[in-house]
Amino acid sequence: MVKKLIKGGILAIGLLFIYTPILLLVVYSFTPAITMGAWEGFSFALYSQLFNNAEIMGIVGDTIVLAVVASSISTVLGTLGAIGIYYSKRKAATAVNVMSHIPIINAEIVTAVALALFFMLIAPNTYFSLIIAHVVITVPFVVLSIKPKLQQMDGNIYEAALDLGATPTKALFKVVLPEILPGILSGFMLAITLSLDDYIVTAFTKPDNFETISTYVYNAIKVPQHSALPQLRALSAIIFVLIIVAVILLNVAGRKKKEKTK
């Protein structure tokens, strides 16, 4: 009993430490005060100002488009990579698996500098380089999301589909992909979150005339009393709520699928 209380207390302290700053942002998004810590009454004024700010709305739209495009590419490549690793021979699978983990364990600043130097040779600071950079940092996480679903899958069903006359392509789309769909969706959502959140790689590879939410926020914080700072509290609260809702919906959908298969 005591051990459970200690574990629960440690977990609660950890969650409180992680989520307190975010919850404070959410709370102070409902007051028009310029600085956090000053409460000027409950109001939706910051949300109204946010949606009427054409510059921020344009940046939000550009960031979402970038995240969706990069995450879609990452999901396709990550799915193919995870399936390839799963069905490859041990030595090849181990080699590819290790290579896929490099962007995860590598310092992000090293990845950013390496990508920037590489793109200087072919396409320096273009939208193309920005998309490829986001794909590089998100593909490994898609692979990590899909691999457990492949390991949980009965390996004989693919062979059974082939024995019943299905082509390898048809067996892939009719048997394997439906089995690992929750992992694919989780990887896609994780890739979007990472793309939306990234600053370092984006700052090193983006065009000079292009801004994402992360780079805009960073530049706004550097300017004392920036007019958009209070509105960014509302934007942060919206992003946080949307991500929480998306994660909950995915988990609920995954549980319902498991219950149906039982």
Side-chain angles (χ1 to χ4, degrees), residues 141-163:
F141 293 94
V142 176
V143 174
L144 286 177
S145 297
I146 296 174
K147 280 175 60 180
K149 294 299 180 182
L150 285 167
Q151 293 167 353
Q152 294 170 9
M153 182 183 69
D154 185 354
N156 295 321
I157 59 175
Y158 178 75
E159 299 295 335
L162 296 179
D163 291 340

Side-chain angles (χ1 to χ4, degrees), residues 106-117 137 200-202 204-205:
N106 197 22
E108 191 172 3
I109 184 63
V110 175
T111 302
V113 172
L115 288 169
L117 293 175
I137 62 174
I200 298 176
V201 171
T202 302
F204 275 79
T205 57

Side-chain angles (χ1 to χ4, degrees), residues 199-218:
Y199 169 76
I200 298 176
V201 171
T202 302
F204 275 79
T205 57
K206 74 178 185 66
D208 294 333
N209 60 347
F210 185 86
E211 294 286 350
T212 63
I213 295 173
S214 59
T215 58
Y216 180 81
V217 170
Y218 179 79

Side-chain angles (χ1 to χ4, degrees), residues 4-254:
K4 289 183 178 180
L5 290 175
I6 293 174
K7 290 180 179 179
I10 293 174
L11 178 61
I13 292 172
L15 293 175
L16 187 66
F17 179 77
I18 293 171
Y19 288 105
T20 295
I22 300 175
L23 294 176
L24 284 175
L25 271 177
V26 174
V27 170
Y28 280 98
S29 69
F30 294 104
T31 184
I34 296 177
T35 58
M36 284 186 61
W39 185 265
E40 297 181 2
F42 185 86
S43 172
F44 289 98
L46 292 183
Y47 289 90
S48 176
Q49 295 171 18
L50 172 66
F51 288 108
N52 288 321
N53 190 320
E55 181 184 17
I56 295 181
M57 288 294 97
I59 291 172
V60 169
D62 291 340
T63 305
I64 292 174
V65 170
L66 171 64
V68 171
V69 172
S71 299
S72 298
I73 297 172
S74 297
T75 302
V76 173
L77 295 178
T79 302
L80 295 175
I83 294 173
I85 292 172
Y86 181 73
Y87 285 106
S88 295
K89 294 182 179 179
R90 180 175 296 181
K91 289 184 178 180
T94 301
V96 176
N97 193 38
V98 170
M99 291 177 62
S100 70
H101 281 68
I102 292 176
I104 299 176
I105 63 177
N106 197 22
E108 191 172 3
I109 184 63
V110 175
T111 302
V113 172
L115 288 169
L117 293 175
F118 173 73
F119 285 119
M120 283 180 63
L121 301 176
I122 55 173
N125 291 5
T126 64
Y127 193 70
F128 171 78
S129 66
L130 180 59
I131 290 177
I132 298 302
H134 276 231
V135 170
V136 168
I137 62 174
T138 54
V139 163
F141 293 94
V142 176
V143 174
L144 286 177
S145 297
I146 296 174
K147 280 175 60 180
K149 294 299 180 182
L150 285 167
Q151 293 167 353
Q152 294 170 9
M153 182 183 69
D154 185 354
N156 295 321
I157 59 175
Y158 178 75
E159 299 295 335
L162 296 179
D163 291 340
L164 292 172
T167 62
T169 302
K170 188 173 182 179
L172 173 65
F173 282 95
K174 294 292 185 179
V175 176
V176 178
L177 292 183
E179 288 289 324
I180 63 173
L181 184 59
I184 295 174
L185 294 176
S186 297
F188 178 71
M189 292 302 302
L190 182 58
I192 284 184
T193 303
L194 292 169
S195 179
L196 291 172
D197 178 65
D198 183 76
Y199 169 76
I200 298 176
V201 171
T202 302
F204 275 79
T205 57
K206 74 178 185 66
D208 294 333
N209 60 347
F210 185 86
E211 294 286 350
T212 63
I213 295 173
S214 59
T215 58
Y216 180 81
V217 170
Y218 179 79
N219 293 330
I221 291 174
K222 291 194 300 182
V223 179
Q225 302 298 321
H226 193 285
S227 60
L229 279 177
Q231 300 167 31
L232 294 177
R233 300 202 300 264
L235 178 61
S236 300
I238 292 172
I239 294 173
F240 174 70
V241 171
L242 289 176
I243 290 174
I244 292 296
V245 171
V247 170
I248 292 174
L249 291 176
L250 285 174
N251 287 332
V252 170

